[in-house]
Amino acid sequence: MTSKKNGAVPRHIAVIMDGNGRWAKRRLLPRLAGHKQGVESLRRCARACVERGVQVLTVFAFSSENWSRPQEEVSGLMSLLANALAKEVAQLSRDGVRLYFVGDRQGLSDKVREGLAEAERITAHNTRLVLNVCFNYGGRWDIAQAAQKLVAQGLELSPENLDKAMALAHVPDPDLMIRTGGETRISNFLLWQAAYSELFFSNALWPDFDEAALDEAIAVFGGRERRFGQTSEQIQPSSAVTLTA
C-alpha cells in the first residue's frame, strides 16, 4: 500500500505511551498517578481512532525491561492493569473494540492472566477497532519466540514464515508509529513490524496527548510519501492522457 500527500488515515497506528512518570513528577504526584492518567489518555485515543476510521491501535503498555523498575511501581502497574480490566472492558466492548494482549504471559500472576483471557473473550466479536495492548512485550522477544515456533514445527526460518509466527500476525504492520514524551527512539517496540512504518515523535507527555495531537500525527502521515523501496515515479499513477479516435 502506498500513499503520497493524500490525506490518508493510517489503517494501523502504534503508540509508545511515554511520559506518565514525568507528568506525575511535574505535579509532585507519585509516578503511579501518571500511569492512572495514562489509562484515561488511552481511552480517549481509542475512541478517537474509532471516530477517524483507524482499524488497529497497538500500544506499548509494559515492556519486558520494565520489570527492572522499582518494585512499588511494578506492583502498582499490575494492580492498575487488573483494575482497568475490571472497569474498562465492558465499555470498550460496547464501543466495538476487540482486545488482544500481546506479550509473554509467563511471570504474570494467575489473576492477571485470567483477566487478560477473559477480556479477550468478552470482546472477541467486536469489529470497529482492534486494540492490541503490548504487555510484558519486547521486539526481540517477539522475534525469538517466532523463531522458536518455526524450529519446533520444522519450518524454514524465512521472512514469510517468521512474519506469520509473530505475536501480531493477526493484524497488518503499523503504518504509523507515534512516540510521546519527547524521546526519539523506538525502545525495542515492534522491531519486525515497524520496518516500513512512518515515525512521528511528539513532545507531549502521554497523559497530555489528546485528539488534536493525534490529528497532527495523522496529518503528517498523510503528507508523507511511502515508497517501500520503489522510486517516486514508480508509485505515481501515470499522468499521460491517451487520445482515441
Side-chain angles (χ1 to χ4, degrees):
M1 181 174 64
T2 61
S3 66
K4 177 181 172 64
K5 299 181 180 178
N6 56 7
V9 172
R11 177 171 53 171
H12 181 176
I13 295 178
V15 184
I16 300 173
M17 306 181 295
D18 192 21
N20 293 329
R22 281 173 285 160
W23 184 91
K25 185 176 181 180
R26 290 176 185 180
R27 289 161 177 76
L28 304 180
L29 297 170
R31 288 178 60 87
L32 194 60
H35 294 299
K36 290 179 179 178
Q37 190 63 33
V39 172
E40 172 59 34
S41 188
L42 175 55
R43 181 190 301 116
R44 188 170 60 218
C45 186
R47 186 182 307 118
C49 283
V50 170
E51 293 170 352
R52 286 150 181 77
V54 176
Q55 298 175 26
V56 183
L57 174 63
T58 299
V59 297
F60 206 6
F62 188 86
S63 80
S64 49
E65 287 79 23
N66 285 156
W67 292 106
S68 61
R69 291 190 174 188
Q71 183 58 43
E72 180 180 357
E73 182 175 353
V74 172
S75 297
L77 283 169
M78 294 299 163
S79 297
L80 181 60
L81 173 63
N83 291 335
L85 287 172
K87 294 179 181 178
E88 305 293 338
V89 170
Q91 183 59 53
L92 286 171
S93 188
R94 286 192 291 269
D95 291 340
V97 177
R98 181 171 187 175
L99 278 165
Y100 285 89
F101 291 92
V102 181
D104 185 1
R105 300 192 187 186
Q106 298 298 318
L108 301 180
S109 69
D110 290 342
K111 179 181 178 180
V112 169
R113 285 201 301 271
E114 290 168 4
L116 302 185
E118 179 68 3
E120 290 177 334
R121 186 193 65 78
I122 291 172
T123 62
H125 63 285
N126 294 327
T127 58
R128 294 190 71 189
L129 177 75
V130 172
L131 175 56
N132 299 306
V133 180
C134 293
F135 196 86
N136 198 23
Y137 174 90
R140 292 176 175 176
W141 164 85
D142 197 0
I143 295 169
Q145 68 83 28
Q148 289 168 355
K149 283 182 184 177
L150 297 183
V151 169
Q153 295 169 17
L155 297 175
E156 178 187 2
L157 291 174
S158 67
E160 294 77 15
N161 285 340
L162 280 166
D163 196 54
K164 294 174 183 177
M166 289 289 163
L168 280 165
H170 58 282
V171 293
D173 290 343
D175 304 295
L176 172 64
M177 180 183 287
I178 300 168
R179 180 171 185 149
T180 63
E183 304 290 354
T184 52
R185 57 181 178 271
I186 62 173
S187 296
N188 195 26
F189 185 46
L190 304 184
L191 298 182
W192 179 272
Q193 297 86 348
Y196 282 100
S197 301
E198 295 297 321
L199 305 180
F200 181 85
F201 298 102
S202 171
N203 288 323
L205 302 177
W206 174 244
D208 295 326
F209 191 84
D210 57 12
E211 292 87 349
L214 178 65
D215 286 338
E216 179 188 4
I218 291 175
V220 169
F221 169 85
R224 291 184 183 174
E225 181 179 76
R226 308 188 74 204
R227 296 192 297 273
F228 299 95
Q230 296 180 301
T231 67
S232 295
E233 291 73 19
Q234 285 178 295
I235 68 172
Q236 294 310 305
S238 175
S239 59
V241 177
T242 301
L243 300 178
T244 59

